[in-house]
PDB file of all heavy atoms in Angstrom:
ATOM      1  N   PHE A 143      35.257 -95.966 263.724  1.00  0.00           N
ATOM      2  CA  PHE A 143      35.349 -94.929 264.601  1.00  0.00           C
ATOM      3  C   PHE A 143      36.427 -94.034 264.480  1.00  0.00           C
ATOM      4  O   PHE A 143      36.380 -92.838 264.449  1.00  0.00           O
ATOM      5  CB  PHE A 143      35.293 -95.599 266.098  1.00  0.00           C
ATOM      6  CG  PHE A 143      35.836 -94.679 267.103  1.00  0.00           C
ATOM      7  CD1 PHE A 143      35.000 -93.618 267.635  1.00  0.00           C
ATOM      8  CD2 PHE A 143      37.094 -94.716 267.749  1.00  0.00           C
ATOM      9  CE1 PHE A 143      35.438 -92.718 268.619  1.00  0.00           C
ATOM     10  CE2 PHE A 143      37.557 -93.920 268.631  1.00  0.00           C
ATOM     11  CZ  PHE A 143      36.662 -92.849 269.160  1.00  0.00           C
ATOM     12  N   VAL A 144      37.620 -94.747 264.246  1.00  0.00           N
ATOM     13  CA  VAL A 144      38.833 -93.924 263.993  1.00  0.00           C
ATOM     14  C   VAL A 144      38.732 -93.106 262.791  1.00  0.00           C
ATOM     15  O   VAL A 144      39.188 -91.908 262.810  1.00  0.00           O
ATOM     16  CB  VAL A 144      40.154 -94.945 263.900  1.00  0.00           C
ATOM     17  CG1 VAL A 144      41.314 -94.192 263.405  1.00  0.00           C
ATOM     18  CG2 VAL A 144      40.318 -95.632 265.182  1.00  0.00           C
ATOM     19  N   SER A 145      38.238 -93.557 261.723  1.00  0.00           N
ATOM     20  CA  SER A 145      38.067 -92.839 260.545  1.00  0.00           C
ATOM     21  C   SER A 145      37.173 -91.588 260.704  1.00  0.00           C
ATOM     22  O   SER A 145      37.481 -90.427 260.293  1.00  0.00           O
ATOM     23  CB  SER A 145      37.482 -93.640 259.276  1.00  0.00           C
ATOM     24  OG  SER A 145      38.293 -94.774 259.006  1.00  0.00           O
ATOM     25  N   ALA A 146      35.925 -91.719 261.361  1.00  0.00           N
ATOM     26  CA  ALA A 146      35.112 -90.588 261.682  1.00  0.00           C
ATOM     27  C   ALA A 146      35.740 -89.658 262.584  1.00  0.00           C
ATOM     28  O   ALA A 146      35.563 -88.473 262.431  1.00  0.00           O
ATOM     29  CB  ALA A 146      33.811 -91.199 262.286  1.00  0.00           C
ATOM     30  N   ARG A 147      36.445 -90.078 263.619  1.00  0.00           N
ATOM     31  CA  ARG A 147      37.042 -89.279 264.630  1.00  0.00           C
ATOM     32  C   ARG A 147      38.219 -88.444 263.950  1.00  0.00           C
ATOM     33  O   ARG A 147      38.372 -87.197 264.191  1.00  0.00           O
ATOM     34  CB  ARG A 147      37.726 -90.122 265.767  1.00  0.00           C
ATOM     35  CG  ARG A 147      38.312 -89.227 266.835  1.00  0.00           C
ATOM     36  CD  ARG A 147      38.758 -90.156 267.978  1.00  0.00           C
ATOM     37  NE  ARG A 147      39.371 -89.405 269.147  1.00  0.00           N
ATOM     38  CZ  ARG A 147      40.698 -89.119 269.124  1.00  0.00           C
ATOM     39  NH1 ARG A 147      41.498 -89.555 268.089  1.00  0.00           N
ATOM     40  NH2 ARG A 147      41.146 -88.459 270.005  1.00  0.00           N
ATOM     41  N   VAL A 148      39.050 -89.035 263.103  1.00  0.00           N
ATOM     42  CA  VAL A 148      40.043 -88.305 262.407  1.00  0.00           C
ATOM     43  C   VAL A 148      39.426 -87.240 261.569  1.00  0.00           C
ATOM     44  O   VAL A 148      39.959 -86.083 261.427  1.00  0.00           O
ATOM     45  CB  VAL A 148      40.864 -89.297 261.530  1.00  0.00           C
ATOM     46  CG1 VAL A 148      41.866 -88.523 260.557  1.00  0.00           C
ATOM     47  CG2 VAL A 148      41.746 -90.149 262.396  1.00  0.00           C
ATOM     48  N   ALA A 149      38.427 -87.548 260.698  1.00  0.00           N
ATOM     49  CA  ALA A 149      37.750 -86.558 259.999  1.00  0.00           C
ATOM     50  C   ALA A 149      37.253 -85.285 260.662  1.00  0.00           C
ATOM     51  O   ALA A 149      37.267 -84.140 260.422  1.00  0.00           O
ATOM     52  CB  ALA A 149      36.541 -87.166 259.119  1.00  0.00           C
ATOM     53  N   GLN A 150      36.550 -85.675 261.915  1.00  0.00           N
ATOM     54  CA  GLN A 150      36.081 -84.702 262.791  1.00  0.00           C
ATOM     55  C   GLN A 150      37.188 -83.741 263.323  1.00  0.00           C
ATOM     56  O   GLN A 150      37.096 -82.492 263.408  1.00  0.00           O
ATOM     57  CB  GLN A 150      35.279 -85.191 263.891  1.00  0.00           C
ATOM     58  CG  GLN A 150      34.609 -84.172 264.824  1.00  0.00           C
ATOM     59  CD  GLN A 150      33.874 -84.816 265.966  1.00  0.00           C
ATOM     60  OE1 GLN A 150      34.484 -85.443 266.865  1.00  0.00           O
ATOM     61  NE2 GLN A 150      32.555 -84.807 266.024  1.00  0.00           N
ATOM     62  N   GLN A 151      38.209 -84.289 263.747  1.00  0.00           N
ATOM     63  CA  GLN A 151      39.359 -83.606 264.331  1.00  0.00           C
ATOM     64  C   GLN A 151      39.999 -82.694 263.271  1.00  0.00           C
ATOM     65  O   GLN A 151      40.464 -81.581 263.582  1.00  0.00           O
ATOM     66  CB  GLN A 151      40.410 -84.538 264.996  1.00  0.00           C
ATOM     67  CG  GLN A 151      39.924 -85.083 266.326  1.00  0.00           C
ATOM     68  CD  GLN A 151      41.037 -85.707 267.058  1.00  0.00           C
ATOM     69  OE1 GLN A 151      42.103 -85.917 266.586  1.00  0.00           O
ATOM     70  NE2 GLN A 151      40.794 -85.921 268.372  1.00  0.00           N
ATOM     71  N   GLU A 152      39.973 -83.132 262.036  1.00  0.00           N
ATOM     72  CA  GLU A 152      40.659 -82.394 261.011  1.00  0.00           C
ATOM     73  C   GLU A 152      39.812 -81.016 260.808  1.00  0.00           C
ATOM     74  O   GLU A 152      40.408 -80.008 260.527  1.00  0.00           O
ATOM     75  CB  GLU A 152      40.762 -83.166 259.735  1.00  0.00           C
ATOM     76  CG  GLU A 152      41.821 -84.198 259.635  1.00  0.00           C
ATOM     77  CD  GLU A 152      41.870 -85.061 258.399  1.00  0.00           C
ATOM     78  OE1 GLU A 152      40.968 -84.828 257.552  1.00  0.00           O
ATOM     79  OE2 GLU A 152      42.830 -85.855 258.229  1.00  0.00           O
ATOM     80  N   LYS A 153      38.506 -81.205 260.846  1.00  0.00           N
ATOM     81  CA  LYS A 153      37.674 -79.973 260.638  1.00  0.00           C
ATOM     82  C   LYS A 153      37.786 -79.043 261.813  1.00  0.00           C
ATOM     83  O   LYS A 153      38.010 -77.899 261.654  1.00  0.00           O
ATOM     84  CB  LYS A 153      36.191 -80.457 260.541  1.00  0.00           C
ATOM     85  CG  LYS A 153      35.886 -81.234 259.241  1.00  0.00           C
ATOM     86  CD  LYS A 153      34.352 -81.684 259.294  1.00  0.00           C
ATOM     87  CE  LYS A 153      34.066 -82.456 258.006  1.00  0.00           C
ATOM     88  NZ  LYS A 153      32.551 -82.823 257.951  1.00  0.00           N
ATOM     89  N   LEU A 154      37.860 -79.618 263.037  1.00  0.00           N
ATOM     90  CA  LEU A 154      38.086 -78.832 264.168  1.00  0.00           C
ATOM     91  C   LEU A 154      39.454 -78.051 264.246  1.00  0.00           C
ATOM     92  O   LEU A 154      39.512 -76.904 264.576  1.00  0.00           O
ATOM     93  CB  LEU A 154      37.863 -79.670 265.457  1.00  0.00           C
ATOM     94  CG  LEU A 154      36.395 -80.094 265.848  1.00  0.00           C
ATOM     95  CD1 LEU A 154      36.367 -80.938 266.950  1.00  0.00           C
ATOM     96  CD2 LEU A 154      35.555 -78.863 266.052  1.00  0.00           C
ATOM     97  N   ASN A 155      40.406 -78.847 263.772  1.00  0.00           N
ATOM     98  CA  ASN A 155      41.770 -78.274 263.729  1.00  0.00           C
ATOM     99  C   ASN A 155      41.835 -77.053 262.718  1.00  0.00           C
ATOM    100  O   ASN A 155      42.586 -76.128 263.080  1.00  0.00           O
ATOM    101  CB  ASN A 155      42.831 -79.335 263.317  1.00  0.00           C
ATOM    102  CG  ASN A 155      43.130 -80.252 264.503  1.00  0.00           C
ATOM    103  OD1 ASN A 155      43.046 -79.999 265.696  1.00  0.00           O
ATOM    104  ND2 ASN A 155      43.494 -81.482 264.200  1.00  0.00           N
ATOM    105  N   VAL A 156      41.054 -77.152 261.689  1.00  0.00           N
ATOM    106  CA  VAL A 156      41.099 -76.014 260.780  1.00  0.00           C
ATOM    107  C   VAL A 156      40.505 -74.813 261.513  1.00  0.00           C
ATOM    108  O   VAL A 156      41.022 -73.771 261.373  1.00  0.00           O
ATOM    109  CB  VAL A 156      40.309 -76.369 259.508  1.00  0.00           C
ATOM    110  CG1 VAL A 156      40.146 -75.111 258.648  1.00  0.00           C
ATOM    111  CG2 VAL A 156      41.078 -77.478 258.661  1.00  0.00           C
ATOM    112  N   LEU A 157      39.337 -74.985 262.149  1.00  0.00           N
ATOM    113  CA  LEU A 157      38.754 -73.844 262.769  1.00  0.00           C
ATOM    114  C   LEU A 157      39.662 -73.286 263.924  1.00  0.00           C
ATOM    115  O   LEU A 157      39.758 -72.261 264.212  1.00  0.00           O
ATOM    116  CB  LEU A 157      37.356 -74.309 263.420  1.00  0.00           C
ATOM    117  CG  LEU A 157      36.426 -74.757 262.360  1.00  0.00           C
ATOM    118  CD1 LEU A 157      35.101 -75.242 263.024  1.00  0.00           C
ATOM    119  CD2 LEU A 157      35.879 -73.513 261.534  1.00  0.00           C
ATOM    120  N   ILE A 158      40.390 -74.299 264.604  1.00  0.00           N
ATOM    121  CA  ILE A 158      41.146 -73.747 265.722  1.00  0.00           C
ATOM    122  C   ILE A 158      42.420 -73.080 265.134  1.00  0.00           C
ATOM    123  O   ILE A 158      42.802 -71.900 265.692  1.00  0.00           O
ATOM    124  CB  ILE A 158      41.600 -75.043 266.485  1.00  0.00           C
ATOM    125  CG1 ILE A 158      40.531 -75.622 267.306  1.00  0.00           C
ATOM    126  CG2 ILE A 158      42.925 -74.569 267.475  1.00  0.00           C
ATOM    127  CD1 ILE A 158      40.894 -76.927 268.015  1.00  0.00           C
ATOM    128  N   ARG A 159      42.944 -73.513 264.042  1.00  0.00           N
ATOM    129  CA  ARG A 159      43.971 -72.649 263.373  1.00  0.00           C
ATOM    130  C   ARG A 159      43.497 -71.271 263.014  1.00  0.00           C
ATOM    131  O   ARG A 159      44.298 -70.305 263.065  1.00  0.00           O
ATOM    132  CB  ARG A 159      44.584 -73.428 262.286  1.00  0.00           C
ATOM    133  CG  ARG A 159      45.414 -74.634 262.627  1.00  0.00           C
ATOM    134  CD  ARG A 159      46.291 -75.176 261.430  1.00  0.00           C
ATOM    135  NE  ARG A 159      45.469 -75.582 260.300  1.00  0.00           N
ATOM    136  CZ  ARG A 159      45.093 -76.865 260.219  1.00  0.00           C
ATOM    137  NH1 ARG A 159      45.408 -77.791 261.143  1.00  0.00           N
ATOM    138  NH2 ARG A 159      44.279 -77.321 259.153  1.00  0.00           N
ATOM    139  N   GLN A 160      42.368 -71.248 262.431  1.00  0.00           N
ATOM    140  CA  GLN A 160      41.766 -70.011 262.056  1.00  0.00           C
ATOM    141  C   GLN A 160      41.677 -68.994 263.254  1.00  0.00           C
ATOM    142  O   GLN A 160      42.015 -67.837 263.232  1.00  0.00           O
ATOM    143  CB  GLN A 160      40.548 -70.164 261.369  1.00  0.00           C
ATOM    144  CG  GLN A 160      40.656 -70.855 260.075  1.00  0.00           C
ATOM    145  CD  GLN A 160      39.235 -71.128 259.340  1.00  0.00           C
ATOM    146  OE1 GLN A 160      38.299 -70.909 259.945  1.00  0.00           O
ATOM    147  NE2 GLN A 160      39.260 -71.544 258.153  1.00  0.00           N
ATOM    148  N   LEU A 161      41.139 -69.569 264.339  1.00  0.00           N
ATOM    149  CA  LEU A 161      41.044 -68.853 265.589  1.00  0.00           C
ATOM    150  C   LEU A 161      42.356 -68.438 266.155  1.00  0.00           C
ATOM    151  O   LEU A 161      42.456 -67.295 266.534  1.00  0.00           O
ATOM    152  CB  LEU A 161      40.247 -69.673 266.693  1.00  0.00           C
ATOM    153  CG  LEU A 161      39.876 -68.999 267.945  1.00  0.00           C
ATOM    154  CD1 LEU A 161      39.056 -67.760 267.700  1.00  0.00           C
ATOM    155  CD2 LEU A 161      39.228 -69.934 268.923  1.00  0.00           C
ATOM    156  N   ASP A 162      43.420 -69.273 266.079  1.00  0.00           N
ATOM    157  CA  ASP A 162      44.683 -68.922 266.468  1.00  0.00           C
ATOM    158  C   ASP A 162      45.268 -67.691 265.748  1.00  0.00           C
ATOM    159  O   ASP A 162      45.958 -66.819 266.243  1.00  0.00           O
ATOM    160  CB  ASP A 162      45.552 -70.101 266.566  1.00  0.00           C
ATOM    161  CG  ASP A 162      46.966 -69.919 266.904  1.00  0.00           C
ATOM    162  OD1 ASP A 162      47.167 -69.738 268.176  1.00  0.00           O
ATOM    163  OD2 ASP A 162      47.866 -69.855 266.069  1.00  0.00           O
ATOM    164  N   GLN A 163      45.076 -67.792 264.479  1.00  0.00           N
ATOM    165  CA  GLN A 163      45.525 -66.717 263.635  1.00  0.00           C
ATOM    166  C   GLN A 163      44.797 -65.342 263.856  1.00  0.00           C
ATOM    167  O   GLN A 163      45.508 -64.330 263.931  1.00  0.00           O
ATOM    168  CB  GLN A 163      45.305 -67.072 262.072  1.00  0.00           C
ATOM    169  CG  GLN A 163      46.124 -68.269 261.655  1.00  0.00           C
ATOM    170  CD  GLN A 163      45.771 -68.665 260.250  1.00  0.00           C
ATOM    171  OE1 GLN A 163      44.891 -68.133 259.556  1.00  0.00           O
ATOM    172  NE2 GLN A 163      46.441 -69.794 259.684  1.00  0.00           N
ATOM    173  N   ALA A 164      43.499 -65.449 264.187  1.00  0.00           N
ATOM    174  CA  ALA A 164      42.802 -64.346 264.516  1.00  0.00           C
ATOM    175  C   ALA A 164      43.349 -63.619 265.842  1.00  0.00           C
ATOM    176  O   ALA A 164      43.442 -62.424 265.973  1.00  0.00           O
ATOM    177  CB  ALA A 164      41.245 -64.645 264.643  1.00  0.00           C
ATOM    178  N   LEU A 165      43.667 -64.551 266.828  1.00  0.00           N
ATOM    179  CA  LEU A 165      44.168 -64.101 268.074  1.00  0.00           C
ATOM    180  C   LEU A 165      45.499 -63.426 267.874  1.00  0.00           C
ATOM    181  O   LEU A 165      45.913 -62.388 268.494  1.00  0.00           O
ATOM    182  CB  LEU A 165      44.296 -65.227 269.058  1.00  0.00           C
ATOM    183  CG  LEU A 165      43.001 -65.730 269.754  1.00  0.00           C
ATOM    184  CD1 LEU A 165      43.191 -67.081 270.441  1.00  0.00           C
ATOM    185  CD2 LEU A 165      42.402 -64.730 270.651  1.00  0.00           C
ATOM    186  N   THR A 166      46.359 -64.086 267.108  1.00  0.00           N
ATOM    187  CA  THR A 166      47.740 -63.458 266.764  1.00  0.00           C
ATOM    188  C   THR A 166      47.518 -62.158 266.092  1.00  0.00           C
ATOM    189  O   THR A 166      48.272 -61.154 266.437  1.00  0.00           O
ATOM    190  CB  THR A 166      48.468 -64.476 265.807  1.00  0.00           C
ATOM    191  OG1 THR A 166      48.648 -65.645 266.377  1.00  0.00           O
ATOM    192  CG2 THR A 166      49.849 -63.869 265.539  1.00  0.00           C
TER     193      THR A 166
END
Side-chain angles (χ1 to χ4, degrees):
F143 163 77
V144 171
S145 298
R147 184 175 179 272
V148 168
Q150 184 184 67
Q151 286 196 345
E152 287 179 352
K153 294 179 180 179
L154 289 173
N155 283 332
V156 170
L157 295 175
I158 290 175
R159 285 195 297 269
Q160 293 174 351
L161 182 58
D162 180 71
Q163 294 173 357
L165 285 168
T166 300

